[in-house]
Amino acid sequence: MDVRNQLVEKGFPVSRIEAALRNISDPILEKAIEWLEQHPIETASDETGVTDDVEDGDATSAMGAAEKGQLSEDAGSLVCQDCGKRFRTPALAEFHATKTQHTNFAESTEKIPDLTPEQKKAKLEELRKRATERKAEAMKEDQTEARNNEILRRKADRESAAQIEKQKRLQMMKEADDRKRQAKEDALAKQRIRDLIAADRKTRQEKIEREKATRAGVQLPAAEEPKPQAASSAPKQKKEYTESRLQIRIDGQPPVVKTFSLDTTLFEVAHSVQDHSGIPPTSAAFVTTFPTKRFGPEDMGMTVKEVGFINTAIMLKRA
């Protein structure tokens, strides 16, 4: 409810309300009440809406407009036949009709007594009290909204921290797997070298023994030829990848090379290079050159495997 409606419902004349709203800089309840307290006597300009700086011709026309629609001599008030509410002046009745869309009004001989100074003061105090209560309620709502915003911010921070922690765990697990695989490959390579050395030593030893036997005239049994391994008829199986090595190219920056597990989301990939690219995951887009594909913020929930980023180069841009 606006200031005008509140003052009208408390019984203040429309002319006084309009005068107050014309003479205050901001149409708020506190300033309107303050002006009414400081100007308790109605002036001709309050009734007609004419100020001192209006020219004579304009003032005359405004006075004539104010005199229209006056009550008859025998009438003391106007009654709204739709709701039964009484009004001192046609202006108040017209304002009521505008607000409620009521159209049936009639004159009544019953006169509404004017408010006493004590009643006016009591109404002003009531309006001031209601204004203070609304201000307190608005402040309380602002505090509640601020608390809710703080809760949402902390939740977002926790979720972001959880994503970062998850990425760190995945990176540590990948590095541990890499170390295990490398150790296993090193052990196999060393074993192959040992087997080659042992086979070479055996071959040289057999050669020495045959030369000795030849000089002594002894016939040694022929060495067994190694049987060729049968060619495998089974088709070669396609290599299954568990991780992908990506070269991420960023405009104006050197490329970043990182290895991710295939179940890593595009959001996590973008977040892992955010410090280098300056592009947050919610505004990032990945683009491949051949074939040309684009994955924007709406695709950040897809995994590296789902989009086909397997050991390839991609471009990171701002969406």
Side-chain angles (χ1 to χ4, degrees), residues 6 20 35 38 67 70 78 115 174 176-177:
Q6 296 176 36
W35 191 92
Q38 294 175 356
E67 292 174 357
Q70 298 293 328
L78 285 174
L115 294 176
K174 184 190 75 64
D177 291 341

Side-chain angles (χ1 to χ4, degrees), residues 63-78:
M63 289 287 291
E67 292 174 357
K68 293 179 180 180
Q70 298 293 328
L71 293 174
S72 63
E73 295 180 358
D74 297 333
S77 62
L78 285 174

Side-chain angles (χ1 to χ4, degrees), residues 30-260:
E30 291 82 355
K31 290 189 176 182
I33 293 173
E34 182 180 352
W35 191 92
L36 289 170
E37 289 179 337
Q38 294 175 356
H39 303 79
I41 300 175
E42 297 185 7
T43 63
S45 64
D46 294 340
E47 294 294 338
T48 62
V50 180
T51 58
D52 294 338
D53 58 346
V54 179
E55 296 181 358
D56 294 340
D58 295 338
T60 302
S61 61
M63 289 287 291
E67 292 174 357
K68 293 179 180 180
Q70 298 293 328
L71 293 174
S72 63
E73 295 180 358
D74 297 333
S77 62
L78 285 174
V79 181
C80 177
Q81 295 180 340
D82 292 328
C83 64
K85 193 171 182 178
R86 295 179 179 274
F87 306 95
R88 291 188 182 88
T89 64
L92 289 173
E94 182 179 354
F95 184 81
H96 175 75
T98 302
K99 186 176 66 172
T100 62
Q101 303 300 318
H102 293 171
T103 57
N104 298 317
F105 293 87
E107 292 185 343
S108 173
T109 57
E110 181 180 351
K111 185 176 181 180
I112 300 175
D114 294 333
L115 294 176
T116 64
E118 292 77 11
Q119 290 174 330
K120 288 185 178 181
K121 184 177 180 181
K123 288 183 178 296
L124 287 173
E125 290 296 332
E126 183 181 354
L127 286 174
R128 186 179 288 107
K129 181 179 178 181
R130 290 176 60 185
T132 303
E133 291 175 352
R134 282 196 298 274
K135 186 175 181 181
E137 290 176 359
M139 184 179 297
K140 186 176 180 180
E141 290 177 358
D142 292 341
Q143 293 174 350
T144 301
E145 183 179 0
R147 285 196 298 270
N148 292 337
N149 291 338
E150 181 64 17
I151 291 172
L152 293 176
R153 185 190 65 79
R154 292 182 180 180
K155 181 180 178 182
D157 290 345
R158 287 195 300 270
E159 291 176 352
S160 179
Q163 288 285 355
I164 294 173
E165 186 63 26
K166 179 181 177 181
Q167 183 63 30
K168 288 182 178 179
R169 288 197 302 270
L170 293 174
Q171 185 67 20
M172 292 174 62
M173 293 172 60
K174 184 190 75 64
E175 292 175 355
D177 291 341
D178 290 344
R179 287 194 296 270
K180 289 180 181 179
R181 184 176 63 255
Q182 187 64 39
K184 184 176 180 180
E185 292 176 355
D186 291 345
L188 292 175
K190 291 178 181 179
Q191 183 61 42
R192 285 194 297 270
I193 293 173
R194 287 193 293 268
D195 292 342
L196 290 173
I197 293 173
D200 182 67
R201 185 179 299 162
K202 181 178 180 181
T203 300
R204 286 188 285 108
Q205 184 64 33
E206 290 177 351
K207 182 178 179 181
I208 293 172
E209 290 178 355
R210 283 198 297 273
E211 291 176 352
K212 288 181 179 180
T214 300
R215 287 195 298 269
V218 178
Q219 184 68 28
L220 292 176
E224 295 183 359
E225 294 290 336
K227 296 181 179 180
Q229 295 182 354
S232 176
S233 59
K236 185 177 181 180
Q237 294 182 351
K238 185 178 180 180
K239 184 176 180 180
E240 292 291 337
Y241 292 96
T242 59
E243 58 185 15
S244 174
R245 186 176 179 84
L246 299 179
Q247 183 186 79
I248 304 173
R249 301 173 182 174
I250 306 164
D251 292 340
Q253 299 288 341
V256 178
V257 179
K258 284 193 173 186
T259 303
F260 301 92

